[in-house]
Amino acid sequence: MVKEKECTSCKKRIINDPSSVSFTCPNCLEVIIIRCGECRKKAIKYRCSKCKFEGP
Ligand SMILES: [Zn+2]
Ligand SMILES: [Zn+2]
């Protein structure tokens, strides 16, 4: 499991960010949403690449 993760919102690669989170899209439950600590702090929206669901 060395696949690099990148933030869904800003596309920043997440290397060692303990405040980053990843979760499945609450709408379609098929896409993994990844958010870096920065985007969480700024409450930047994410958008699911599959169903276009937007969330805070
Ligand atoms: Zn980000
Ligand atoms: Zn989705």
Side-chain angles (χ1 to χ4, degrees), residues 1-7 11-16 34:
M1 277 252 316
V2 273
K3 198 182 164 207
E4 277 185 343
K5 298 194 292 183
E6 63 177 31
C7 175
K11 308 297 180 200
K12 192 182 83 169
R13 281 189 301 156
I14 293 167
I15 294 148
N16 190 18
I34 300 163

Side-chain angles (χ1 to χ4, degrees), residues 1 5-6 12 14 19 24 26-28 32-33 36 39-40 42 47-48 52-55:
M1 277 252 316
K5 298 194 292 183
E6 63 177 31
K12 192 182 83 169
I14 293 167
S19 56
T24 49
N27 191 50
C28 66
I32 308 287
I33 309 282
C36 67
C39 287
R40 286 181 67 204
K42 294 180 184 170
R47 177 186 277 180
C48 174
K52 311 299 181 202
F53 175 82
E54 279 190 11

